[in-house]
Amino acid sequence: IGNLSNLLHLDLSFAINGTIPHQIGNLTNLIHLGLPSSGESLVVENADWLLGLTSLEYLDLRELNLEACTFGDYKQPSELNFSSLLSLSISVAPKWVFQLNKLVSLTCGSIYYASSDIGGPIPDGIQNLTMLENLDLSGNSFSSHIPDWLYGLHRLKSLNLEDNLLTGTISNAMGNLTSLVTLDLSYNQFEGGIPNQLGMFQNLEMLDLSSNKIIGEIPQSFAKLSSLRFVDFSKNHLTGNPFKILASSTKLLCLVIDDNLFQGIVHEDDFANFTTLQVLSASSNNFTLKVHPSWKPKFQLSELKMSSWKLGPSFPSWIRSQNHLQHLDLSNAGLSDFIPIWFWETSHYCFYLNFSHNHIHGKLPKELKILESFGAAVDLSSNHLHGNLPFVSEDVAWLDLSHNSFDGLLMDFLCQKSDKPKWLRILNLASNNLSGKIPNCWRMWPQLMDVNLESNSFIGSLPSSLGSLSGLQYLHIRNNTLSGKFPISLKENKELILLDLGENNLTGNIPRWVGESLANLKFLRLRSNHLSGHIPNGLCDMKFLQVLDLALNNLSGNIPNCLNHLSAMINKTSARSSIQEYMIYGRDIISMILWVKGKDAEYNNILGLVKNIDLSSNKLFGGIPMEITNLTGLIYLNLSKNELTGQIPQSIGNMESLESIDFSGNQLTGEIPQSITNLNFLNKLDLSYNHLEGKIPTGTQLQTFEASGFVGNNICGPPLQLSCRVPDDDANDGNEKERKKHNGVNWFFVFMAFGFIVGFWGFVGPLFIFKSWSYAYFRFLDGMGYKLQSCLGF
């Protein structure tokens, strides 16, 4: 067709379903071009061919999708002639879009408007498009109130403002849009209550107010919304009992009200009119369900989420009537019963099952038939189940049986042969009573990404077949009784992000190859083993490492001075985003036990934010390398209970992200660096039992810390009770003594005078009282006088 060089008029309406041939661009004389109209599928992979149509005067185009395209802003509207355009979908909308006043449908992924900045108000040019029936402005960054002029678009049937930053309350003027069929205000920052006028929309079928800050109860006017099919109020602060108000919504297909403050007792009558209901998602509220044991709901659900409801203690028998359940969440529902046999026999369609955090007891069937759906997931964690582990289908993707009382060997569960490939990606058997050796048949589970066997009673060494799991990213085997040297089989697990072998009996050195072969590690925890030798310099090459815990081992030698190569601990950014990408069914499953600030805690949602070095309770000697102070993103640093000498680096104040420092139980000398007062986030400091001296630096925080963090040194000043001596103290002491000498009482002369008086009157006093004593005394004196005269020749 591109050879018809003299062609003036070309109408391809209803003629093309697919890609427009770019050869049309050769038709330089073309004046009129008609392209497929509404209902056809038209694809423009590259619009450069339009540049060749230099004579084109008329373009007949009803629907235009220009998403992922960018345009300049035309100063003269006459340069464009889209007078017949009815539907436009565009990623970035230039100003001229608002002159297309015949538009019926406008979808703008991101709006560029000359008079408004990104993040500003919704452009007021849209008010010119009075024919609009569909307005989709989702995924922008509008951050003001909904403008009043928007309520004048009376023809609107669909309004989508999802995923913006809109604020304020939802205005009563929204009631002017009486033609609305769908209204989506989700993922904004709306506050206040739901306006009563929304209940006046007789044609409203879809209402999504989720992920805002809306408060109060659902208005009573909503009882008149009999046309509602989809309702989502989740993630707000709504109160009351919505089932009472929405009971008349007989066409309801989907009701989502999770994560609110709803409460109350729900009876079977409240569900009587929900005959078409397919999705009921009402977790994380405070509901109590009271129904007759023989109740059979009129609905058939495909998704049921009643986490945190009060359903127990008995297992809800009405579940048996739901023959099409695919997603079932009854976690934390107060169930204290066993899971009946009929449940495993009838729920074959389920691909997600969550009964976690209940008090369910008993044994599981030898084979869980419920998990025959491809990609199925089951979470029975945190219950009281016991007995042997069940056999699961090859199609299972996620299995969590942690925090129960399963016992026996892992061999029967792990090593059963199968003709089908196994798709298990996540296996969590933590905190059970499993024992024996970890079997060597991991090659049968090639898709595993996360293996958690922590807090059991496994013995022996890690099997070599673990190295066959090429996609393994998370391995938790802490708190067992594993022995032997650091497992060389892990050398092949090059995708590992988290490795936790803490609280075992591993011996030998940390291999040099760890830093090279496990270059993707972000979290390395070898705490509380019997590892010895030096810390290998190869660990410094792990540029993604942000948690290094080697505490409570027998490591010796110097702290590597290359720790400043750990670039993830220098940067203040975190692995939070990459951790959050690894989620399944909306639940973050990555967690780790860390010892920080003198206690252990489990980190999950914020694990990607943690940056920690813990080398405490080893036999490390030498000084604290100055290079460690380059780790400006480090949050926790623990070098306590070693044999470190020398001074605290003067540049420690550079570690501006530090929240906790523990250097206690070493042989550090010198003064506490003044720069430590620069650590504004520091809230725990322990320098006790070293040989530090001098005055504790005065800062905004140090004086508020506990005194126990400074004891066992030769230091003074707050928070210690011991005051510091100023430089002139010795001279002042001499002057004080001299002053006391002149101005004080000389007790030597006082006692000498007292002794003279007592002695004098003790001898002379009786001579006055007894005359015979005085005569004898004077005769004695006369006799002595005569003798002295004779001797002296007088």
Side-chain angles (χ1 to χ4, degrees), residues 458-595:
F458 293 119
I459 61 174
S461 57
L462 283 182
S464 60
S465 61
L466 268 176
S468 68
L469 303 179
S470 58
L472 189 64
Q473 297 183 13
Y474 303 89
L475 180 59
H476 312 250
I477 316 187
R478 60 171 290 272
N479 195 24
N480 279 280
T481 318
L482 299 179
S483 57
K485 295 185 177 181
F486 193 95
I488 194 172
S489 61
L490 296 181
K491 190 175 184 179
E492 305 302 322
N493 302 114
K494 299 184 183 300
E495 299 299 319
L496 269 178
I497 294 175
L498 183 151
L499 176 60
D500 190 349
L501 301 177
E503 290 89 29
N504 280 287
N505 294 324
L506 300 178
T507 57
N509 299 339
I510 301 175
R512 295 181 178 179
W513 54 259
V514 171
E516 178 181 352
S517 298
L518 306 182
N520 291 316
L521 268 183
K522 296 177 181 177
F523 311 97
L524 176 59
R525 187 177 183 275
L526 304 176
R527 183 185 189 90
S528 190
N529 278 282
H530 304 296
L531 298 171
S532 57
H534 293 191
I535 299 175
N537 288 336
L539 295 184
C540 299
D541 298 329
M542 305 173 78
K543 60 181 180 180
F544 300 114
L545 193 67
Q546 59 184 70
V547 170
L548 176 61
D549 189 346
L550 307 179
L552 290 160
N553 280 284
N554 295 318
L555 300 172
S556 58
N558 295 312
I559 298 175
N561 57 10
C562 59
L563 290 180
N564 59 331
H565 295 170
L566 299 175
S567 55
M569 299 189 189
I570 298 176
N571 301 327
K572 295 182 181 179
T573 56
S574 69
R576 183 182 180 94
S577 58
S578 61
I579 290 294
Q580 287 184 326
E581 288 175 3
Y582 185 49
M583 297 177 68
I584 186 168
Y585 301 105
R587 177 181 172 188
D588 192 346
I589 61 172
I590 306 305
S591 64
M592 195 175 197
I593 300 291
L594 294 178
W595 182 275

Side-chain angles (χ1 to χ4, degrees), residues 283-482:
S283 296
S284 300
N285 286 286
N286 191 18
F287 290 121
T288 300
L289 182 65
K290 288 189 176 182
V291 295
H292 194 273
S294 62
W295 176 56
K296 292 183 179 180
K298 297 179 181 180
F299 50 68
Q300 282 292 326
L301 299 176
S302 61
E303 181 175 335
L304 174 61
K305 297 171 65 176
M306 304 180 82
S307 176
S308 300
W309 281 54
K310 295 180 178 65
L311 301 179
S314 299
F315 191 89
S317 57
W318 57 270
I319 296 292
R320 191 171 189 174
S321 67
Q322 303 303 297
N323 299 319
H324 304 293
L325 274 176
Q326 298 178 15
H327 187 120
L328 177 59
D329 185 352
L330 302 183
S331 60
N332 190 31
L335 302 179
S336 301
D337 203 354
F338 62 89
I339 302 175
I341 296 298
W342 58 257
F343 177 80
W344 306 114
E345 295 176 346
T346 58
S347 301
H348 296 300
Y349 298 99
C350 214
F351 67 84
Y352 177 79
L353 172 64
N354 190 347
F355 288 162
S356 66
H357 295 88
N358 282 289
H359 302 283
I360 298 173
H361 54 82
K363 296 182 179 182
L364 294 179
K366 185 177 181 180
E367 185 175 353
L368 294 185
K369 295 181 180 180
I370 190 175
L371 303 176
E372 293 181 353
S373 301
F374 181 77
V378 62
D379 187 352
L380 300 178
S381 63
S382 300
N383 280 287
H384 303 305
L385 297 168
H386 65 276
N388 294 327
L389 295 171
F391 173 73
V392 295
S393 164
E394 295 86 352
D395 296 328
V396 177
W398 175 26
L399 179 63
D400 191 344
L401 302 178
S402 63
H403 297 276
N404 279 284
S405 300
F406 291 108
D407 53 25
L409 304 177
L410 193 56
M411 176 75 70
D412 294 338
F413 168 81
L414 203 64
C415 302
Q416 289 194 15
K417 294 183 179 180
S418 174
D419 297 331
K420 299 180 180 179
K422 298 182 178 181
W423 292 98
L424 189 65
R425 302 180 70 189
I426 301 164
L427 175 63
N428 191 348
L429 302 177
S431 299
N432 279 286
N433 298 324
L434 302 173
S435 59
K437 291 186 176 181
I438 299 176
N440 195 21
C441 51
W442 293 93
R443 297 181 187 275
M444 300 173 60
W445 305 85
Q447 305 298 326
L448 277 170
M449 295 175 57
D450 185 341
V451 175
N452 193 336
L453 304 177
E454 67 182 39
S455 298
N456 280 283
S457 300
F458 293 119
I459 61 174
S461 57
L462 283 182
S464 60
S465 61
L466 268 176
S468 68
L469 303 179
S470 58
L472 189 64
Q473 297 183 13
Y474 303 89
L475 180 59
H476 312 250
I477 316 187
R478 60 171 290 272
N479 195 24
N480 279 280
T481 318
L482 299 179

Side-chain angles (χ1 to χ4, degrees), residues 180-239:
L180 276 180
V181 176
T182 66
L183 175 61
D184 191 343
L185 304 179
S186 62
Y187 290 92
N188 281 284
Q189 299 177 15
F190 291 118
E191 300 176 335
I194 301 174
N196 190 64
Q197 283 73 7
L198 290 188
M200 306 300 180
F201 294 158
Q202 298 301 314
N203 300 318
L204 192 65
E205 296 181 3
M206 193 280 283
L207 176 61
D208 192 345
L209 303 179
S210 62
S211 299
N212 280 284
K213 303 176 183 178
I214 301 173
I215 62 173
E217 297 188 0
I218 299 174
Q220 291 294 330
S221 60
F222 272 60
K224 302 177 182 179
L225 292 178
S226 57
S227 59
L228 275 178
R229 293 177 177 269
F230 179 94
V231 175
D232 191 344
F233 292 147
S234 62
K235 297 181 180 178
N236 280 287
H237 308 292
L238 295 169
T239 57

Side-chain angles (χ1 to χ4, degrees), residues 734-747:
N735 294 335
E736 183 68 15
K737 291 178 181 178
E738 188 67 21
R739 184 183 65 80
K740 289 181 178 180
K741 180 177 179 181
H742 292 285
N743 300 331
V745 178
N746 196 323
W747 291 103

